[in-house]
Amino acid sequence: MTILDPLLQPHYDIVLARNPGEQEFHQAVFEVLESLGPVVHKHSEYVEAAVIERLCEPERQLIFRVPWTDDQGKVQINRAFRVEFNSALGPYKGGLRFHPSVNSGIVKFLGFEQIFKNALTGLPIGGGKGGSDFDPKGRSDAEVMRFCQSLMTELYRHLGEYTDVPAGDIGVGGREIGYLFGQYKRITNRYESGVLTGKALAYGGSRVRTEATGYGTVFFAEEMLKAAGQSLSGKRVIVSGSGNVAIYAAQKAAAVGAQVVACSDSSGYVVDEDGLDIDLLRQVKEVDRARISAYADERPRARFVEGGRVWDVPCEVALPCATQNELDGDAASTLIANGVIAVAEGANMPCTPEATRLLREKGVLFAPGKAANAGGVATSALEMQQNASRDSWSFAYTEGRLKEIMTGVHDRCAAAAEEYGAPGNYVAGANISSFLQVADAMLALGVV
Ligand code: NAP
């Protein structure tokens, strides 16, 4: 592991001592601090005002019991969390995750990342994250509804369109957001649309939210390639996963002229040298909810590789859009040997630190998820704007705003990397640019 700058190491030591056992949170803090050496040497005011210690300590952390009754009449108890990490730029904004693995360390790591991702969008949103160890898989709609209602019966007092605005994440989709919003509305007697995002179009949702993360990743990749005198057009692209982010990344990449030849799910991958048929992919994954092999069953020229690694398919551009740590050092070496020129992370933390290091050392253009997948939260902020003005924008207008925002994210990362002596390093650029924005707001607001 790299050694931190002596001005930053004591802050990291405090994080380790104060948050024992929370490895994911330690890693997320380390990754940001690793980029900030040149910043604290240039701006001693951030150190003097203890901005880094304050940034690493959430403004508020909630942990609460969620009691509910299952379909057999048995009382079930889950634990829920909300980490309201930083509100210097706006109300806390970040999703709720329902998954058995959720604990305070994971929520804290995601909330910390969210502060910087949200700042990069240039929109007025602070950072937060929440969730529960509740597992919606195998639960009936009625059980999910009772769980959501019980969770909101506690959480509502901490939320508000100017205070804290949750959204979905793993295990929390349109159904859960609907139940959560319904209970919030009932308890507060307020139709406060902007208190939750990811709503259905019927009651205040935004067009393009479904497509936003995948489209945004492609917009970012296009900008990064353009800055290097290249373009996605005509490039051979592979995508990992075939969920929400992957499908719309593949769709947009194909729309800008790339040849998207492979995608995957947890059972294996498919290669389709003619270019993926996105309509068929959507039918298989979104409508039929089938395994990815069903795609190959329908396309005679496509090939399904059971249990295989999509990274073995030669490509010029790779878009990891499935899950954390899915692309390791070995996979990165294969991609490099096959001539990859760019990798943009659609998922959160899909590349291991070793993979990132190898790709960067070999001069592969690398877009970190913090920047490249910010399109999802950016469009959530656009949903808040529409709710505040009692408006509903067209698809074309909303997509135009998303594209503009992603270009801005790219340009901010590139400019910060250049200014701090790391031209072309989007990891450093994303961390430095977002840190400066949050830190300046914190200085302006005083010791609060
Ligand atoms: P999703 O719809 O649940 O899709 C995840 C996809 O990844 C599925 O195809 C899944 O396959 C596949 N997958 C999971 N584990 C895998 C593995 N070990 N190997 C290969 N494929 C695997 O989730 P999503 O919304 O697309 O999110 C994907 C990533 O993007 C996550 O890291 C998420 O945090 C991040 N993200 C999402 C958004 C958003 O707006 N959705 C925004 C920012 C970041 P199976 O179907 O076989 O499980």
Side-chain angles (χ1 to χ4, degrees), residues 386-404:
Q386 291 168 78
N387 296 150
S389 57
R390 306 274 188 266
D391 203 353
S392 177
W393 303 341
S394 70
F395 193 96
Y397 178 74
T398 315
E399 187 184 355
R401 292 288 309 268
L402 170 63
K403 188 158 200 238
E404 224 171 70

Side-chain angles (χ1 to χ4, degrees), residues 116-198:
F116 302 98
K117 185 185 297 192
N118 294 3
L120 278 174
T121 66
L123 298 168
I125 40 179
K129 196 84 185 184
S132 170
D133 56 7
F134 172 73
D135 187 357
K137 282 207 184 80
R139 291 293 178 188
S140 68
D141 278 359
E143 288 177 317
V144 170
M145 182 177 75
R146 287 195 292 275
F147 173 79
C148 289
Q149 290 176 341
S150 179
L151 182 137
M152 187 53 90
T153 302
E154 171 59 33
L155 189 60
Y156 87 95
R157 68 190 89 242
H158 306 288
L159 305 183
E161 62 180 321
Y162 297 110
T163 309
D164 186 352
V165 182
D169 190 73
I170 291 171
V172 180
R175 173 182 64 171
E176 290 76 14
I177 294 290
Y179 294 148
L180 291 164
F181 183 71
Q183 182 73 349
Y184 182 87
K185 182 174 84 63
R186 186 177 192 196
I187 297 176
T188 60
N189 193 31
R190 282 164 63 85
Y191 204 107
E192 194 183 331
S193 302
V195 75
L196 281 169
T197 61

Side-chain angles (χ1 to χ4, degrees), residues 327-330 332-333 351-361:
L327 199 168
D328 60 11
D330 194 45
S333 300
C351 294
T352 63
E354 198 202 349
T356 308
R357 182 182 57 76
L358 285 171
L359 292 165
R360 290 209 20 78
E361 271 175 15

Side-chain angles (χ1 to χ4, degrees), residues 192-270:
E192 194 183 331
S193 302
V195 75
L196 281 169
T197 61
K199 301 182 292 296
L201 269 180
Y203 67 97
S206 174
R207 292 184 175 81
V208 194
R209 179 59 191 90
T210 304
E211 297 84 355
T213 308
Y215 279 19
T217 301
V218 170
F219 292 149
F220 192 98
E222 271 282 60
E223 289 302 315
M224 181 170 76
L225 284 160
K226 196 165 91 187
Q230 304 257 11
S231 119
L232 263 177
S233 179
K235 294 281 182 314
R236 199 178 146 89
V237 173
I238 62 171
V239 173
S240 65
S242 48
N244 174 260
V245 180
I247 289 175
Y248 294 98
Q251 186 186 65
K252 186 51 78 180
V256 300
Q259 180 84 342
V260 187
V261 293
C263 69
S264 63
D265 69 9
S266 53
S267 67
Y269 67 88
V270 289

